[in-house]
Amino acid sequence: MDRLDKKILRLLQADTTLAVADVAKRVGLSTTPCWRRIQKLEEEGVIKRRVAILDPDKVNTRVTVFVSIRTNSHSTEWLRRFSEVVTTFPEVLEFYRMSGEVDYLLRVVVPDIAAYDAFYKRLIEKIEIRDVSSAFAMERIKSTTELPLDYMVFDKETRES
Amino acid sequence: MDRLDKKILRLLQADTTLAVADVAKRVGLSTTPCWRRIQKLEEEGVIKRRVAILDPDKVNTRVTVFVSIRTNSHSTEWLRRFSEVVTTFPEVLEFYRMSGEVDYLLRVVVPDIAAYDAFYKRLIEKIEIRDVSSAFAMERIKSTTELPLDYMVFDKETRES
DNA sequence: GATGAAAGGTCTCGACC
DNA sequence: GGTCGAGACCTTTCATC
């Protein structure tokens, strides 16, 4: 990967509807080599997928809640089930195991506080959790899927997955 | 919007490389009306954009950090500047104003802890903040851009933005 | 909403410099 | 890396039912 790949990624992270010829023009390549690079970026898994981003308001998921979870020390089996249960809820967009105070952190989207309450009940019904604390977002100031590309490393060799 | 639109959105949220004819087949429509629906979903802003999702590992942003910020009561001008400064950092993927204990919550991605430290220094250099606390993610268990569509409302009228 | 078709554009890839 | 070219495939419209 080099600066050209980086430019290509920057464009495609913002908009995949661009035609290959347009991408090529903007990064200063001709179509075929640009197409080959995009192809390669996909094969290598640098580009994982191309998706449509929806407006949360329009699909009635206005409210974002961050859920901090503390667990007791549990069996591997419990942990497996816990991960599975949480992951299965479509309201859970992000789910991380954390270091420090909190053991797990979720980002959940729902229409309103009542719906969050219902979600919460459905969750603790399926799996027992020691301590849950919820923090509501009042305002979404920034939200993007574009990763910063300034940390990319250009080695001579293709890096493995 | 109706069940068919919902099906279309479900497909496009997962993969926009699908040809219209394929989407049509899967939702049980023929190409033309399906194309018209997609067009409409875009005009109405339900579909906001189509983007490429990159692999964080491959672009050297392996580490996710949640940053909780407490501020003092500040002037409108300070708040404006604060929002602007934070938003400008490409490492900040999400930025919410919160209710409760914490005033603001950021999701930041960087290559490693050292890079986080550097990011942190650059941040507090640009704007004075009362209290910052950082929580590191050890494992990303789930991360998706697919909003749950089960809360969609199908009214007779087109809902306004 | 379905069909069928036509025009134009884009993708994909092979050949060659 | 660049150019050319050809065929397959898609998108986009339109007319008709």
Side-chain angles (χ1 to χ4, degrees):
Chain A
M1 292 202 286
D2 60 12
R3 280 112 246 267
L4 288 173
D5 287 318
K6 184 169 158 184
K7 280 188 174 179
I8 292 171
L9 292 174
R10 205 184 294 292
L11 288 170
L12 295 183
Q13 271 203 117
D15 183 8
T16 17
T17 64
L18 280 172
V20 179
D22 287 335
V23 176
K25 210 170 299 168
R26 300 203 198 185
V27 304
L29 271 176
S30 53
T31 312
T32 307
C34 182
W35 178 79
R36 274 196 280 255
R37 276 167 182 268
I38 294 172
Q39 215 60 16
K40 192 149 163 270
L41 290 166
E42 264 161 2
E43 276 162 28
E44 286 172 351
V46 181
I47 297 173
K48 285 205 301 186
R49 51 216 317 232
R50 293 159 190 255
V51 304
I53 302 295
L54 309 188
D55 184 330
D57 285 9
K58 301 277 169 64
V59 297
N60 199 23
T61 56
R62 234 168 302 267
V63 169
T64 295
V65 190
F66 287 90
V67 184
S68 301
I69 293 179
R70 260 168 277 248
T71 61
N72 295 312
S73 42
H74 276 295
S75 63
T76 343
E77 171 52 20
W78 186 91
L79 287 167
R80 219 214 77 254
R81 210 180 109 66
F82 171 69
S83 289
E84 192 194 298
V85 166
V86 172
T87 303
T88 304
F89 280 92
E91 292 92 343
V92 176
L93 301 193
E94 300 186 75
F95 177 20
Y96 296 90
R97 183 163 61 80
M98 306 295 293
S99 73
E101 283 287 284
V102 161
D103 296 317
Y104 295 90
L105 185 61
L106 320 183
R107 182 163 71 89
V108 172
V109 298
V110 283
D112 49 41
I113 311 238
Y116 177 71
D117 195 48
F119 161 82
Y120 176 78
K121 281 178 183 152
R122 274 182 290 136
L123 177 63
I124 57 169
E125 196 173 87
K126 285 210 170 180
I127 190 134
E128 168 235 359
I129 300 169
R130 176 156 71 96
D131 186 81
V132 178
S133 107
S134 313
F136 291 80
M138 294 287 98
E139 187 187 354
R140 182 186 3 262
I141 302 171
K142 179 179 184 179
S143 173
T144 182
T145 56
E146 295 179 40
L147 301 175
L149 299 181
D150 306 317
Y151 296 112
M152 279 175 70
V153 190
F154 306 136
D155 10 26
K156 319 94 217 1
E157 295 302 302
T158 310
R159 56 179 14 213
E160 83 257 89
S161 105
Chain B
M1 292 204 283
D2 60 12
R3 279 113 249 265
L4 287 174
D5 288 317
K6 184 169 158 183
K7 280 186 173 180
I8 292 171
L9 292 174
R10 204 184 293 292
L11 289 170
L12 296 183
Q13 270 203 119
D15 182 9
T16 18
T17 64
L18 280 171
V20 178
D22 286 335
V23 176
K25 209 170 298 167
R26 299 204 199 185
V27 305
L29 272 175
S30 53
T31 311
T32 308
C34 181
W35 180 82
R36 271 197 284 259
R37 277 168 182 268
I38 294 172
Q39 215 60 18
K40 193 151 161 267
L41 290 166
E42 263 162 3
E43 277 162 27
E44 286 172 350
V46 182
I47 296 173
K48 285 207 299 189
R49 53 215 317 229
R50 292 158 190 255
V51 304
I53 303 295
L54 309 188
D55 184 330
D57 285 8
K58 302 276 168 63
V59 297
N60 199 22
T61 56
R62 234 168 300 269
V63 169
T64 295
V65 190
F66 287 90
V67 184
S68 301
I69 294 179
R70 259 168 278 248
T71 61
N72 295 311
S73 42
H74 276 295
S75 64
T76 343
E77 171 51 19
W78 185 91
L79 287 167
R80 217 213 80 256
R81 212 180 106 66
F82 171 69
S83 288
E84 194 195 296
V85 166
V86 172
T87 303
T88 304
F89 281 92
E91 293 92 343
V92 175
L93 302 192
E94 301 186 75
F95 178 21
Y96 296 90
R97 184 164 60 80
M98 304 296 292
S99 73
E101 283 287 286
V102 162
D103 296 318
Y104 295 91
L105 184 61
L106 319 184
R107 182 162 72 89
V108 172
V109 297
V110 283
D112 48 40
I113 311 242
Y116 177 70
D117 196 48
F119 160 82
Y120 175 78
K121 281 177 183 151
R122 276 183 289 137
L123 178 63
I124 58 169
E125 195 173 89
K126 287 211 168 176
I127 191 137
E128 168 237 358
I129 300 169
R130 175 157 69 97
D131 185 80
V132 179
S133 107
S134 312
F136 290 81
M138 296 285 98
E139 185 188 356
R140 182 184 6 260
I141 303 172
K142 179 179 184 179
S143 174
T144 183
T145 56
E146 295 180 40
L147 301 175
L149 300 181
D150 306 316
Y151 296 111
M152 280 175 71
V153 190
F154 305 137
D155 12 26
K156 318 95 218 359
E157 295 304 302
T158 309
R159 54 177 16 209
E160 83 255 273
S161 108

mmCIF file of all heavy atoms in Angstrom, chain A residues 29-30 32-33 37, chain D residues 1-5:
data_model
loop_
_atom_site.group_PDB
_atom_site.id
_atom_site.type_symbol
_atom_site.label_atom_id
_atom_site.label_comp_id
_atom_site.label_asym_id
_atom_site.label_seq_id
_atom_site.Cartn_x
_atom_site.Cartn_y
_atom_site.Cartn_z
ATOM 1 N N LEU A 29 -4.622 8.675 -11.483
ATOM 2 C CA LEU A 29 -4.256 7.425 -12.132
ATOM 3 C C LEU A 29 -5.179 7.267 -13.337
ATOM 4 O O LEU A 29 -6.146 7.991 -13.461
ATOM 5 C CB LEU A 29 -4.519 6.239 -11.195
ATOM 6 C CG LEU A 29 -3.447 5.766 -10.232
ATOM 7 C CD1 LEU A 29 -4.000 4.652 -9.359
ATOM 8 C CD2 LEU A 29 -2.222 5.278 -10.986
ATOM 9 N N SER A 30 -4.870 6.293 -14.194
ATOM 10 C CA SER A 30 -5.856 5.986 -15.219
ATOM 11 C C SER A 30 -6.706 4.816 -14.731
ATOM 12 O O SER A 30 -6.389 4.177 -13.735
ATOM 13 C CB SER A 30 -5.182 5.691 -16.543
ATOM 14 O OG SER A 30 -4.221 4.708 -16.368
ATOM 15 N N THR A 32 -7.673 1.652 -15.477
ATOM 16 C CA THR A 32 -7.291 0.251 -15.257
ATOM 17 C C THR A 32 -6.418 0.037 -14.021
ATOM 18 O O THR A 32 -6.784 -0.774 -13.166
ATOM 19 C CB THR A 32 -6.625 -0.345 -16.510
ATOM 20 O OG1 THR A 32 -7.485 -0.138 -17.626
ATOM 21 C CG2 THR A 32 -6.365 -1.830 -16.351
ATOM 22 N N PRO A 33 -5.307 0.716 -13.881
ATOM 23 C CA PRO A 33 -4.507 0.512 -12.667
ATOM 24 C C PRO A 33 -5.259 0.869 -11.393
ATOM 25 O O PRO A 33 -5.075 0.210 -10.367
ATOM 26 C CB PRO A 33 -3.312 1.439 -12.856
ATOM 27 C CG PRO A 33 -3.577 2.251 -14.052
ATOM 28 C CD PRO A 33 -4.635 1.597 -14.842
ATOM 29 N N ARG A 37 -6.016 -1.667 -8.276
ATOM 30 C CA ARG A 37 -5.724 -1.365 -6.871
ATOM 31 C C ARG A 37 -6.941 -1.602 -5.988
ATOM 32 O O ARG A 37 -6.842 -2.195 -4.908
ATOM 33 C CB ARG A 37 -5.277 0.095 -6.725
ATOM 34 C CG ARG A 37 -3.796 0.316 -7.001
ATOM 35 C CD ARG A 37 -3.522 1.797 -7.137
ATOM 36 N NE ARG A 37 -2.127 2.059 -7.459
ATOM 37 C CZ ARG A 37 -1.176 2.290 -6.559
ATOM 38 N NH1 ARG A 37 -1.466 2.278 -5.264
ATOM 39 N NH2 ARG A 37 0.059 2.523 -6.933
ATOM 40 P P DG D 1 0.772 1.223 -9.575
ATOM 41 O OP1 DG D 1 2.080 0.968 -9.135
ATOM 42 O OP2 DG D 1 -0.378 1.149 -8.872
ATOM 43 O "O5'" DG D 1 0.592 2.081 -10.921
ATOM 44 C "C5'" DG D 1 1.048 3.417 -11.061
ATOM 45 C "C4'" DG D 1 1.525 3.546 -12.463
ATOM 46 O "O4'" DG D 1 2.254 2.348 -12.822
ATOM 47 C "C3'" DG D 1 0.463 3.606 -13.550
ATOM 48 O "O3'" DG D 1 -0.088 4.902 -13.616
ATOM 49 C "C2'" DG D 1 1.319 3.321 -14.795
ATOM 50 C "C1'" DG D 1 2.386 2.358 -14.251
ATOM 51 N N9 DG D 1 2.249 0.989 -14.752
ATOM 52 C C8 DG D 1 2.028 -0.155 -14.055
ATOM 53 N N7 DG D 1 1.982 -1.229 -14.800
ATOM 54 C C5 DG D 1 2.191 -0.752 -16.081
ATOM 55 C C6 DG D 1 2.253 -1.455 -17.326
ATOM 56 O O6 DG D 1 2.131 -2.664 -17.534
ATOM 57 N N1 DG D 1 2.476 -0.582 -18.376
ATOM 58 C C2 DG D 1 2.624 0.778 -18.265
ATOM 59 N N2 DG D 1 2.831 1.464 -19.396
ATOM 60 N N3 DG D 1 2.574 1.421 -17.103
ATOM 61 C C4 DG D 1 2.349 0.607 -16.066
ATOM 62 P P DG D 2 -1.345 5.162 -14.555
ATOM 63 O OP1 DG D 2 -1.716 6.563 -14.371
ATOM 64 O OP2 DG D 2 -2.295 4.069 -14.313
ATOM 65 O "O5'" DG D 2 -0.751 4.981 -16.043
ATOM 66 C "C5'" DG D 2 0.131 5.954 -16.604
ATOM 67 C "C4'" DG D 2 0.062 5.837 -18.108
ATOM 68 O "O4'" DG D 2 0.590 4.523 -18.473
ATOM 69 C "C3'" DG D 2 -1.385 5.863 -18.605
ATOM 70 O "O3'" DG D 2 -1.624 6.721 -19.693
ATOM 71 C "C2'" DG D 2 -1.703 4.447 -18.954
ATOM 72 C "C1'" DG D 2 -0.367 3.820 -19.235
ATOM 73 N N9 DG D 2 -0.462 2.453 -18.751
ATOM 74 C C8 DG D 2 -0.619 2.017 -17.461
ATOM 75 N N7 DG D 2 -0.744 0.723 -17.369
ATOM 76 C C5 DG D 2 -0.666 0.279 -18.671
ATOM 77 C C6 DG D 2 -0.744 -1.033 -19.202
ATOM 78 O O6 DG D 2 -0.905 -2.092 -18.600
ATOM 79 N N1 DG D 2 -0.623 -1.028 -20.587
ATOM 80 C C2 DG D 2 -0.447 0.096 -21.354
ATOM 81 N N2 DG D 2 -0.351 -0.104 -22.670
ATOM 82 N N3 DG D 2 -0.373 1.315 -20.879
ATOM 83 C C4 DG D 2 -0.490 1.338 -19.531
ATOM 84 P P DT D 3 -3.180 6.896 -20.101
ATOM 85 O OP1 DT D 3 -3.398 8.354 -20.261
ATOM 86 O OP2 DT D 3 -4.037 6.098 -19.196
ATOM 87 O "O5'" DT D 3 -3.268 6.193 -21.515
ATOM 88 C "C5'" DT D 3 -2.145 6.049 -22.359
ATOM 89 C "C4'" DT D 3 -2.542 5.143 -23.506
ATOM 90 O "O4'" DT D 3 -2.348 3.740 -23.119
ATOM 91 C "C3'" DT D 3 -4.010 5.274 -23.901
ATOM 92 O "O3'" DT D 3 -4.124 5.455 -25.305
ATOM 93 C "C2'" DT D 3 -4.656 3.969 -23.445
ATOM 94 C "C1'" DT D 3 -3.491 2.984 -23.442
ATOM 95 N N1 DT D 3 -3.630 1.940 -22.407
ATOM 96 C C2 DT D 3 -3.609 0.614 -22.774
ATOM 97 O O2 DT D 3 -3.473 0.237 -23.931
ATOM 98 N N3 DT D 3 -3.747 -0.279 -21.749
ATOM 99 C C4 DT D 3 -3.902 0.026 -20.400
ATOM 100 O O4 DT D 3 -4.024 -0.870 -19.577
ATOM 101 C C5 DT D 3 -3.939 1.433 -20.078
ATOM 102 C C7 DT D 3 -4.105 1.869 -18.667
ATOM 103 C C6 DT D 3 -3.794 2.318 -21.079
ATOM 104 P P DC D 4 -5.537 5.733 -25.935
ATOM 105 O OP1 DC D 4 -5.273 6.486 -27.178
ATOM 106 O OP2 DC D 4 -6.480 6.243 -24.929
ATOM 107 O "O5'" DC D 4 -5.969 4.247 -26.320
ATOM 108 C "C5'" DC D 4 -5.108 3.459 -27.125
ATOM 109 C "C4'" DC D 4 -5.767 2.127 -27.418
ATOM 110 O "O4'" DC D 4 -5.661 1.271 -26.255
ATOM 111 C "C3'" DC D 4 -7.255 2.232 -27.760
ATOM 112 O "O3'" DC D 4 -7.457 1.595 -29.006
ATOM 113 C "C2'" DC D 4 -7.959 1.533 -26.590
ATOM 114 C "C1'" DC D 4 -6.879 0.581 -26.065
ATOM 115 N N1 DC D 4 -6.966 0.249 -24.606
ATOM 116 C C2 DC D 4 -6.931 -1.098 -24.211
ATOM 117 O O2 DC D 4 -6.853 -1.975 -25.073
ATOM 118 N N3 DC D 4 -6.986 -1.393 -22.881
ATOM 119 C C4 DC D 4 -7.079 -0.414 -21.975
ATOM 120 N N4 DC D 4 -7.113 -0.758 -20.697
ATOM 121 C C5 DC D 4 -7.105 0.961 -22.365
ATOM 122 C C6 DC D 4 -7.047 1.257 -23.673
ATOM 123 P P DG D 5 -8.839 1.661 -29.731
ATOM 124 O OP1 DG D 5 -8.519 1.597 -31.177
ATOM 125 O OP2 DG D 5 -9.657 2.763 -29.158
ATOM 126 O "O5'" DG D 5 -9.492 0.260 -29.321
ATOM 127 C "C5'" DG D 5 -8.685 -0.908 -29.353
ATOM 128 C "C4'" DG D 5 -9.516 -2.071 -28.877
ATOM 129 O "O4'" DG D 5 -9.393 -2.208 -27.429
ATOM 130 C "C3'" DG D 5 -11.004 -1.889 -29.161
ATOM 131 O "O3'" DG D 5 -11.526 -3.151 -29.526
ATOM 132 C "C2'" DG D 5 -11.567 -1.434 -27.803
ATOM 133 C "C1'" DG D 5 -10.683 -2.226 -26.847
ATOM 134 N N9 DG D 5 -10.568 -1.697 -25.487
ATOM 135 C C8 DG D 5 -10.569 -0.368 -25.089
ATOM 136 N N7 DG D 5 -10.452 -0.225 -23.797
ATOM 137 C C5 DG D 5 -10.374 -1.520 -23.313
ATOM 138 C C6 DG D 5 -10.245 -1.996 -21.971
ATOM 139 O O6 DG D 5 -10.161 -1.344 -20.935
ATOM 140 N N1 DG D 5 -10.219 -3.388 -21.930
ATOM 141 C C2 DG D 5 -10.292 -4.214 -23.023
ATOM 142 N N2 DG D 5 -10.244 -5.514 -22.789
ATOM 143 N N3 DG D 5 -10.417 -3.782 -24.277
ATOM 144 C C4 DG D 5 -10.449 -2.433 -24.342
#
